[in-house]
Amino acid sequence: MTAHALEWQRAAAALIRAMPRHRLVGNGMQATDADELHARVSAGSAWSEVAARLARRQTTAAMAAIEAGDRATARDRFLRAAACYSFGQVPLEDGPAKRVLYRDLVDAFGRAGALLDPPAEHVLVPWRGRSLRGWLLRPADVVRPPVVVVLGGIDAWREEYAAGAELVRDRGVALFLLDAPGQGETRVLGGLHLDRDVRLALSAAVDHVLADPRLGDRVAVWGNSMGGHLAALLAAQDPRIAACVVTGGTVRPAETHTRFPRFLAKVQAMLGLDPEASRTLMDDLELDAATLAGLTCPLLVQHGTRDAVFKVANARHLHDLAGSADRTWQEWPDGDHCVDNHADEKYLAVARWLAPRLTGRW
């Protein structure tokens, strides 16, 4: 075997480990697409190119469904296409190729959202001359619903959690799927990186939600992976947060690149800084006991014992140090990062825990 062949095999194996079948399927991809993506990449094809082809195939099926008057199937296919684009852009560095896939992702998700009742809305929240970017999905026939702000992580962003979050929307809660600074569309197309004022940026998003007369005055935050850390930070310092869910989060976000140096490149992309400045900022973001004592709203923390990205002990510290009297810990002994290998259980557990605390309907 040549050195080149060995290198692409290693690269393919690393991508499949980072994005296993259960993560792809649990967060929006069609199972047959996930299988084809893994098979073709293992055979030597480029991950992003295969994912884009699968997305275009799903888009063609969506357009055929629209021609046939089948809006439900069309929406499903557009969402499948969006998931392909979402996972397809992950390995790409910020630049023209990533931006192309990201625009296609936003377009596909927006076309799916247009088929909702009421339609999804693409939202820009002004912040320091740029904008935080998100999707607002409101439940049907609910007057001034409460809202949950949904955050992703270092490289898994808002659309990846849409399918699971819809279980919350189905219970009468609006969703604000948000890319924080350093994440998703906010960074890739908007050029806004995460900095020490990230909590203030997230509070600006809360301001935006509370200023919308169609929405209620109860706002929760649900963060996944690095987003779980950000959710806890926001809930600890913004008293308007009515409930907080942390899935796969940590008190110490620097643990990723400390234990796995290859993660530093992803952290640099999120922060837009050089390696040393990135390490310093991530260290400064650690949540201490004094900060977490301010997290007094209801709190749900979910984690997998086998999580290789953020240690279960650091998630447990977040739960134990929080000042909330209403705290719930959920741990899956065989769970991986963000408990993606139990996606259905995880999302249902969030919906059952969160919706009653916002709507008052138990």
Side-chain angles (χ1 to χ4, degrees):
M1 181 179 295
T2 66
H4 176 73
L6 184 60
E7 180 60 29
W8 71 250
Q9 281 194 353
R10 288 173 176 166
L15 285 169
I16 291 170
R17 284 196 304 273
M19 290 175 279
R21 186 182 191 272
H22 59 256
R23 174 181 169 186
L24 303 179
V25 175
N27 292 307
M29 275 188 73
Q30 188 168 304
T32 53
D33 285 347
D35 291 341
E36 184 171 344
L37 175 59
H38 280 183
R40 290 188 179 277
V41 168
S42 296
S45 297
W47 178 281
S48 298
E49 292 175 6
V50 176
R53 287 199 299 271
L54 294 169
R56 290 191 291 269
R57 190 167 70 192
Q58 290 286 3
T59 300
T60 298
M63 297 303 296
I66 288 177
E67 288 291 325
D70 186 350
R71 290 168 59 91
T73 296
R75 178 172 181 267
D76 177 76
R77 297 300 181 180
F78 279 132
L79 287 174
R80 302 295 190 184
C84 290
Y85 285 128
S86 178
F87 287 112
Q89 59 79 35
V90 170
L92 299 175
E93 295 181 357
D94 288 12
K98 193 177 188 80
R99 287 193 290 271
V100 166
L101 283 191
Y102 223 92
R103 290 190 182 96
D104 289 338
L105 160 60
V106 171
D107 178 70
F109 195 87
R111 293 169 86 174
L115 299 172
L116 274 174
D117 180 23
E121 301 169 37
H122 189 230
V123 177
L124 274 63
V125 178
W127 178 250
R128 295 186 172 171
R130 299 178 187 261
S131 60
L132 313 180
R133 305 187 183 195
W135 297 102
L136 177 63
L137 288 73
R138 291 179 291 135
D141 303 319
V142 179
V143 177
R144 301 197 72 229
V147 184
V148 57
V149 178
V150 182
L151 301 169
I154 292 177
D155 66 4
W157 298 322
R158 62 188 186 198
E159 290 87 0
E160 185 166 337
Y161 302 100
E166 287 204 358
L167 292 173
V168 182
R169 186 179 65 90
D170 291 344
R171 287 164 168 79
V173 177
L175 305 175
F176 188 25
L177 308 175
L178 181 67
D179 280 331
Q183 297 178 333
E185 186 190 4
T186 295
R187 180 185 101 207
V188 176
L189 300 184
L192 188 59
H193 292 87
L194 188 148
D195 60 21
R196 286 177 175 80
D197 290 333
V198 62
R199 198 279 295 171
L200 299 177
L202 295 175
S203 287
V206 176
D207 293 340
H208 184 91
V209 167
L210 291 173
D212 189 329
R214 301 167 302 169
L215 303 175
D217 59 4
R218 292 183 62 76
V219 180
V221 62
W222 172 13
N224 301 270
S225 189
M226 178 66 186
H229 173 88
L230 297 178
L233 175 66
L234 176 64
Q237 298 187 352
D238 191 327
R240 299 172 298 176
I241 298 301
C244 177
V245 179
V246 175
T247 301
T250 182
V251 294
R252 185 173 177 265
E255 65 174 294
T256 52
H257 61 268
T258 301
R259 290 185 292 117
F260 306 109
R262 69 180 184 277
F263 268 87
L264 186 59
K266 293 181 180 292
V267 171
Q268 285 184 252
M270 180 175 68
L271 305 181
L273 298 174
D274 63 41
E276 189 56 36
S278 295
R279 292 188 186 95
T280 299
L281 177 51
M282 291 296 275
D283 285 340
D284 290 347
L285 287 175
E286 184 166 348
L287 293 170
D288 58 21
T291 299
L292 286 169
L295 200 171
T296 57
C297 67
L299 172 67
L300 169 65
V301 180
Q302 300 178 310
H303 216 83
T305 308
R306 295 173 53 202
D307 191 331
V309 178
F310 291 141
K311 292 182 178 180
V312 67
N314 284 332
R316 187 80 210 197
H317 286 323
L318 192 156
H319 171 272
D320 293 348
L321 294 173
S324 174
D326 178 1
R327 289 180 295 179
T328 302
W329 171 262
Q330 295 178 343
E331 182 176 344
W332 281 258
D334 65 337
D336 59 10
H337 185 51
C338 287
V339 204
D340 283 328
N341 57 331
H342 291 280
D344 290 346
E345 296 172 38
K346 168 188 70 173
Y347 287 130
L348 183 58
V350 172
R352 286 175 169 170
W353 183 92
L354 182 57
R357 285 168 172 80
L358 293 178
T359 65
R361 296 191 297 271
W362 295 83

